[in-house]
Amino acid sequence: ITVKQCASVANQYGRPRVISETYGCAGWEFSFEGQKWLGDWQFALGVNVRSQHLALYSLKGCRKRDYPPVFNYNTNWWGQARIVEDYFARLSAALAAGAPARDILVLHPASTAWCALGSNPRGASSREADGNIQEVNRLGDDFNRLLRALLGAHYDFDLGDETILAEEGRVEGGGLAVKKASYRLALIPPIRSMLESTRALLADFLEGGGRVVAMLPAAAMLEGRPSERPAALYAHPNTTLAADPRAALRAVEALLPRRASLTNAFCVEDPDLVCAYREDGEAEALLFAANTDRSKAKDILVDIEGDGCVEELDLLDGTIRPITALATGGRTKFLADFGPAGSRLYRIDRKRRPLVSAGGTDPTAFPAAANHLAPPPILRGFGPVARFSRPAPNALVLDRCAFALGDGDWSEEMEVWRAQSEIRERLGMRQVYYNGLAQRYLWAVAPHPKDGAPARLRFRFLVKEIPAGDVFLVLEEPGEFAVTMNGMAVDNAPEGWFLDKSFEQLRLPAPAAGWNEIILSCAYKNRMEVEDCFLLGDFAVDADRALAAERDTLRFGDWCLQGYPHYCGSMVYRFDLDWPQEESLPNDRPLGERQDGECQPHRAMLRLGDFSAVTVAVKVNGETLGQIPWRSANGLDLGGALRPGRNELEIEVVGSPRNLLGPFHLARGKVAFNEWSAFRPEGKDYTPDYVLQPYGLFGQVTLSEE
């Protein structure tokens, strides 16, 4: 509803740009595929500009829990962000051209919602309440289901706001016009009331030959008062009555051909695909279609009204390729495959005829199951063990400590946020473990009578194998603390920062085998926010959360279980690839057309098995060949980059800050809405275990002859 409300008004008033603030609360692990999946859905519904939530100047204190992800330098994948930004820049440019072709106006049931809500829906008793919030919620849910049914059947529409209809609605040329938009059909959802101006407009539309699909029960009120006047709309011969969304959809199908049809192998419109169809005058049309299913691929017959030459505009790399299509019955048809969360953008040139397939091949025929499922010949497989490197230091999160106030005894060990909560409670200070309101700055930095109270925090970590290199402690506001490790003073002058400029690094003395102890002493102040600390260095973290030696190889599977539970960065998997001379390649079928006596590079497609990553980059002999930012883009042609003899293949799997910044102890593992409470679970929501996001290559990597 929300996206369509905004996109409808923009279309009716001729506004070319529709912006959406999006992605907030998706969590630190949010991937490029996640951005694409949600962004594609919104763009198909009418958005064409994203405003990513959010870009923080700093992750200091509670900000790291302020509805992540963060779109700024302080996210480890920021250097690769251009991949997804260019994708949406191309899509944004395309979907701002021309105008959407929407033939249906769906009446928005706001008047009915106000009638159901009443003036006192939260009365102390049912006798005092003259409205019902639950009824309004049911109305919204039912309306959303109707809109989803239309979109799943690939009928695009605008919503008709009754106030706007009163100001801008008119009957013109047999159509129902709203400002700059015009519609061929009106759909009335189940409503109780409408405005008199709406009734009059729909009556004029019907008398002028317009068609209306009206769902039951019929409206029996005008402007909130009982009236028999709306009944004439439902009884009009040009009105088709429908009892539910399925019947309404059948009525629409009988009255209105689709601009674009997307049917699957069962010859039905695939409801998992959403699409946007736009026209730029009579010469050109655009079709954008997206698969909202993140687990299943789709083979789809695309059927577009009118004749025209079809080209696919690749949104990932910017290339354009012609599509073989069939023109018949005034429509253009071709077959397309959509990977999980996959999408495609097509341009239809009405001035040129479709490119017809040669040799009698039917471009609209679904592939036979035997041929479609037969895997291509595999030239080489990689894994399940690889040499590897990690561009970033490994990390161990220290999120548990004991505390003491003044000369008091040490507390039991607890999570850092709980320790700070108890310190503030004892000092009579307001709590800061949650974000608070927008006006937080008014009290969070104010002086307090107990400012300067001496406090200590003790962190312990286990070392099984002493790291060969330096180990750093990452601390926020290190100047506020006197730091010791195993009784030795630590210089609190920072040596650089990690991830965020407020995450400052202190060089530690060499740790000892066994248990090590870090003590932070400070004069605690109201404005302070004591956060988790990290250890950084060249080490592994074993199952006991102890520092251990790293291995030379990394197995396919979750790298969290192989010594890197809190690692924030990317892993580079390295493989040797022996590539034969051209004459020794498989010759069971042609390798390519020869030009000027030379053979074109052999087509060798690299495909990843299952993986978990924000994005994946592929290099051959040190040269970046491309990115696999989402599963539907899986497959890169290495043929032109491989040289005879030994080649080095590098697959860089990019992780996220999720396992460094949390949440760690949420018993449910994931929540749909990431806010501060997910990072501070209590009671049944809490588990002492570390619940992490798996990362890495999980399935075999193959090089196939295609």
Side-chain angles (χ1 to χ4, degrees), residues 75-138:
T75 298
N76 66 286
W77 47 256
W78 186 241
Q80 290 91 353
R82 181 168 183 167
I83 301 160
V84 70
E85 295 304 320
D86 282 353
Y87 171 91
F88 279 107
R90 296 181 180 108
L91 184 56
S92 178
L95 295 185
R102 299 173 184 155
D103 297 318
I104 303 173
L105 182 73
V106 180
L107 186 65
H108 193 290
S111 294
T112 296
W114 283 115
C115 290
L117 189 63
S119 61
N120 186 25
R122 298 186 185 274
S125 67
S126 58
R127 182 179 301 174
E128 296 177 7
D130 61 358
N132 190 318
I133 290 177
Q134 286 72 31
E135 184 179 349
V136 177
N137 290 339
R138 284 194 297 271

Side-chain angles (χ1 to χ4, degrees), residues 197-330:
S197 54
T198 303
R199 186 209 62 78
L201 179 63
L202 291 175
D204 290 346
F205 178 55
L206 287 167
E207 289 303 313
R211 302 304 301 261
V212 171
V213 174
M215 296 180 63
L216 301 173
M221 293 192 291
L222 278 180
E223 308 199 0
R225 296 181 177 87
S227 174
E228 297 180 357
R229 300 193 70 190
L233 300 177
Y234 294 82
H236 197 280
N238 283 356
T239 297
T240 303
L241 300 179
D244 53 45
R246 184 175 298 180
L249 185 56
R250 288 197 298 267
V252 170
E253 289 175 326
L255 296 169
L256 201 62
R258 290 175 176 83
R259 301 285 190 138
S261 169
L262 303 168
T263 55
N264 55 30
F266 299 100
C267 299
V268 297
E269 300 291 328
D270 196 305
D272 290 327
L273 269 76
V274 290
C275 65
Y277 184 81
R278 301 180 69 88
E279 292 180 334
D280 195 354
E282 297 181 356
E284 188 173 284
L286 283 171
L287 174 65
F288 174 66
N291 180 12
T292 62
D293 192 322
R294 293 188 71 176
S295 60
K296 295 179 182 177
K298 306 277 186 176
D299 284 328
I300 297 295
L301 177 62
V302 182
D303 181 344
I304 305 171
E305 69 172 358
D307 295 342
C309 181
V310 182
E311 296 174 323
E312 181 176 358
L313 286 66
D314 193 308
L315 294 165
L316 188 56
D317 63 18
T319 59
I320 300 174
R321 66 182 182 92
I323 297 295
T324 301
L326 176 67
T328 177

Side-chain angles (χ1 to χ4, degrees), residues 12 17 43 58 70 78 146 242 290 293 326 335 374 391 396 398 403 427 451 475 502 517 556 608 611 641:
Q12 289 159 359
R17 295 289 183 181
F43 275 54
S58 171
V70 168
W78 186 241
L146 171 63
D293 192 322
L326 176 67
L335 197 66
L396 172 64
L398 304 178
F403 76 91
L427 296 177
D451 276 354
L475 184 63
S502 68
E517 182 178 270
F556 283 16
L608 307 181
F611 64 92

Side-chain angles (χ1 to χ4, degrees), residues 462-512:
L462 181 62
V463 174
K464 291 185 178 178
E465 296 174 82
I466 298 174
D470 292 328
V471 176
F472 291 87
L473 174 68
V474 175
L475 184 63
E476 297 180 24
E477 291 195 300
E480 295 287 344
F481 298 93
V483 183
T484 64
M485 177 169 150
N486 299 333
M488 299 175 58
V490 176
D491 187 355
N492 66 357
E495 298 185 26
W497 51 272
F498 177 72
L499 189 66
D500 185 274
K501 292 178 181 179
S502 68
F503 296 179
E504 299 184 278
Q505 299 181 166
L506 305 182
R507 188 186 300 271
L508 293 176

